[in-house]
Amino acid sequence: MKSTKNIEIKLIFIAVAVLFLWFLAAPIIMLLLKSFQDDTGRIWLHYMEVFTTKGFWQAVGNSFQAAGSSAVVTTILAFVLAYTVNYTNLPRILKKVIRGGAVLPMLLPTITYGFAIIYSFGKQGLVTRLLGRQLFDIYGYGGLLLGYVVYTLPVSFLLIQNTMNYIDKKFMIVSRVMGDKGVKTFGITVLRPLLGTLAASLVQCFFLAFTDFGIPASVGGQYEVVASVLYDEMLGSLPNFNNGAVVAMVMLVPSVVSILLLHYLERYNVQYNKISLVENFKNRLRDGVFGVFSGAVMLMIVILFAVVFIVPFVREWPYEMAFTLDHVKDVFQDGELSGVFRNSLFVAIMTAVVGSLVAYGAALITARSKLTAKTKNVVEGIALVTNTVPGMVIGIGFMLMFSGTSLQNTFLLIIVCNVVHYFSTPYLMMKNSLQKMNGSWETTAMLMGDSWLKTIFRVVTPKIKELQHFAKFNEIFVLSLCILFTNLIAKGIFRVIASYRKAGSQDSKTEGAKKKRIAAGVAAGMLICAAGVFVFGLNGGSGSSEKVIIYSNADDEAVDAIKGALDDNGYKGKYIFQTFGTSELGGKLLAEGKNVEADLVTMSSFYLDSAQEQNQMFEKLTFEAQTLSETPDFYRPITSQEGAIIVNTEVMKEENLPMPKSIRDLADPVYAGQISVTDIKSSSTAWLLIQALVEEYGEDEAKDILTDIYKNAGPHIEDSGSGPLKKVRSGEVAVGFGLRHQVAADKEDGLPVDYVDPTEGNFSLTESVAVVDKKEDTNPLAMEMAECIVKNGREQLQKTYPNALYVGETTDKSNESAYPRVFSEPLTAELLERHQKLSESCK
């Protein structure tokens, strides 16, 4: 018996270990090697560069402060909520509301959180408008604390609630009978069995906040955190994977302390022979206090996310409040949405199935096996490392390791990445549940002739209640609602399946059998759907192998024009179009080189220059298209994007601000707190502003002006090129600097925004098309499509991007910028790096 048991559990351990060795350890080791990689042989060079960078250690300290304080607050709130559900006599319906409200944020995509804070508590937010004043400054530490707490609350609540379910309440009665006072009873019978879980919650919440980038990007302001530094290095306007690898290694250091802490607290875990059904003591004061407190937490969550249900149905928040379904229709009329949703559903289902099996197998190793402590510590270490590794780091590691392999750009790699990244929470929940069960069940079953595996499935598994998997502003909120409703449906299905084992023991035989049939039917239906989606997904993928894959950083207007040109000239259905952020696509080109999945790329020209210089990855174009200015032989420009000053006309009137005429005007203290600009470290849009200042005033004077502009911007120095426009559009600030064509489109749509052509000049950046050189695997249609885009797409493109680029083209005077200018030096990566250093010296 013992030998068989060891074989079974050892096989599970080997499977789990191999999975994480190949898909976690290997990518991290590759990143570690990347941090030491240098052509000069100075292995510590990148560490010295990062460690001596201005503000790096301040960002690390800020991360510890914000993540640490939010972890403490979250764990306390989650404990109170879980205690309210398990140890008070509140009505069952209220407890159900608390359980549902506590996990509600988990059902929404994390990108929603920052936007929800801005639209709820910002200057034009829902709460601000209702109260007539802004409650607090949402940018910086306060905004991060709120965002992190809401973000991590579901995970903390599920961990604590899951463990509380397995605490035997009869010991409270024993403690009282022994003469213990209420506080001592509480400490012995509630707190002590939860010590390990509370520590796990603190660690989980800390690292979720410590590694998150989305919330700081929205409301971090000048309170820079280490996740933002990682983003700037890995996916900024000038990616540096070596320095980024150093930052990633620094972010892994706290995990060592966490492993030691949780290992120490393992000794406090308690196992019960059985869970007694004991009623809670009657105490109206306790019920009232905990009920009010829990209700306040639920109210805060509802208030924060109420905008998600309101903004999509308002014509234009906050200026035109009429009800409309146009935003919802626009999203669902997008032909690509069904494909994206199908892919997401497929990945979510497969991640749930595979992830549950992996997490359960790992939990059995640590909680229900007799393997050595060292073996169990390996699994514990895996759980903590997966929790501490930022998703961005895993993605970059996967990109570096699997580029050029058969796994590149496959569903399987995405599913495995999700399983690895989200392994920690379900594993800890399952482990805590298994540890609270009677440790002698397996021994008893074996004495009765059952194998260990049979015992696990017949005795241990049915005791686990369930494991819930939750897999432009208007569009984001509409899609967030789609995700929310999908998750709610999935949650309901999982609850029905979870009731399968409970049905026979808690109901009459007839009712139990009925529930079993329903649950079995639902489970079978899900398996059929999963198989169908799986087969459909594989078939869909195999059928697209001959299509030209196009990667692009283009805006919606440019994408529509490019697709229109291709579709109208015989290429409809012959390509797959995928869009990325500029820095994200730039990172892929630099990291993957010729192994990139794309056959055709439209991208910022200076990025294409850098990628070609580093990887020699583009073919020489075989068609003629004479440009007005000299361009390399491997790409041709398709758009020219100009910078301009952006203003919100309504806010300008409300604040009685003068209309700026130049970029230099933005340095006037009258605009303090009313300006939003982009950080050149993370977005090339800021380069247009810096080019204008340097060209007009020289570097020394440009520094002085830029210093004052940054001072006026305060927390509104954005990581995204579209960030200033979003801030201006939402009324958070009155003035910004961004792309001229985007403001023109908003103005045409009737929004209260306008643009000002600065007297220093409307400097521009071009985006170009290039064909990836894949030698014998090069798709012959790629070159044809590149020519089609250049020769047939320019007419439509010029309606949005008016500048003439080719011989024979003219610029429409009615749409022409007032001061079009070109920088006197070639736009290279070296020049961008020089201007980045200039920008950093001004902060």
Side-chain angles (χ1 to χ4, degrees), residues 10-57:
K10 284 178 181 177
L11 287 176
I12 295 175
F13 172 75
I14 291 172
V16 171
V18 169
L19 173 70
F20 285 96
L21 179 67
W22 188 243
F23 291 102
L24 180 64
I28 289 177
I29 291 172
M30 180 164 285
L31 274 175
L32 176 63
L33 296 176
K34 197 79 174 173
S35 70
F36 292 109
Q37 186 182 58
D38 183 67
D39 296 336
T40 65
R42 294 178 295 171
I43 61 174
W44 296 106
L45 175 65
H46 303 296
Y47 282 86
M48 294 303 296
E49 286 182 359
V50 172
F51 291 170
T52 57
T53 298
K54 176 184 175 183
F56 173 72
W57 292 111

Side-chain angles (χ1 to χ4, degrees), residues 204-216:
Q204 284 276 75
C205 294
F206 173 84
F207 281 109
L208 282 173
F210 188 75
T211 59
D212 178 67
F213 169 73
I215 295 172

Side-chain angles (χ1 to χ4, degrees), residues 737-753:
F737 185 92
L739 297 177
R740 187 177 187 270
H741 72 275
Q742 291 181 335
V743 196
D746 276 0
K747 181 181 178 181
E748 188 175 338
D749 288 341
L751 271 67
V753 297

Side-chain angles (χ1 to χ4, degrees), residues 695-715:
E695 189 76 2
E696 182 70 14
Y697 305 109
E699 289 196 6
D700 290 338
E701 191 173 356
K703 285 183 181 180
D704 294 335
I705 297 171
L706 192 57
T707 299
D708 289 337
I709 291 175
Y710 285 162
K711 184 177 180 181
N712 283 343

Side-chain angles (χ1 to χ4, degrees), residues 504-718:
S505 61
Q506 295 183 0
D507 299 302
S508 66
K509 291 185 177 181
T510 304
E511 288 296 316
K514 183 178 179 181
K515 286 190 176 183
K516 284 187 177 184
R517 287 195 296 271
I518 295 174
V522 172
M526 280 194 68
L527 289 174
I528 293 171
C529 290
V533 173
F534 181 72
V535 173
F536 185 59
L538 292 180
N539 290 339
S542 62
S544 63
S545 59
E546 298 303 317
K547 293 182 179 181
V548 171
I549 299 176
I550 303 174
Y551 279 2
S552 176
N553 73 322
D555 299 317
D556 290 343
E557 298 86 357
V559 171
D560 291 341
I562 292 170
K563 288 181 177 180
L566 294 174
D567 292 349
D568 294 342
N569 289 277
Y571 297 106
K572 188 170 185 179
K574 297 181 181 180
Y575 63 87
I576 298 173
F577 205 103
Q578 298 185 39
T579 58
F580 300 83
T582 300
S583 56
E584 294 169 325
L585 181 52
K588 286 182 70 69
L589 296 179
L590 294 175
E592 296 183 0
K594 292 181 180 181
N595 292 323
V596 72
E597 181 190 27
D599 302 297
L600 190 66
V601 175
T602 78
M603 181 60 172
S604 300
S605 302
F606 74 91
Y607 260 124
L608 296 178
D609 287 324
S610 298
Q612 180 71 348
E613 181 181 354
Q614 178 174 312
N615 299 317
Q616 295 298 308
M617 59 182 295
F618 299 116
E619 280 195 21
K620 179 180 179 180
L621 298 180
T622 58
F623 58 87
E624 292 294 328
Q626 190 174 358
T627 54
L628 294 173
S629 58
E630 185 177 354
T631 57
D633 60 7
F634 61 90
Y635 70 67
R636 286 293 179 270
I638 55 174
T639 66
S640 173
Q641 305 193 38
E642 294 181 308
I645 296 172
I646 314 166
V647 297
N648 184 307
T649 54
E650 295 288 339
V651 177
M652 292 289 286
K653 291 176 184 176
E654 291 173 6
E655 300 295 331
N656 196 27
L657 294 173
M659 188 66 69
K661 296 180 180 178
S662 65
I663 297 174
R664 184 171 194 157
D665 288 345
L666 304 185
D668 189 330
V670 72
Y671 297 107
Q674 290 290 352
I675 290 177
S676 178
V677 294
T678 308
D679 191 344
I680 193 174
K681 286 194 307 180
S682 52
S683 172
S684 57
T685 301
W687 202 9
L688 300 173
L689 180 146
I690 294 177
Q691 285 180 44
L693 289 177
V694 172
E695 189 76 2
E696 182 70 14
Y697 305 109
E699 289 196 6
D700 290 338
E701 191 173 356
K703 285 183 181 180
D704 294 335
I705 297 171
L706 192 57
T707 299
D708 289 337
I709 291 175
Y710 285 162
K711 184 177 180 181
N712 283 343
H716 304 295
I717 301 176
E718 310 297 330

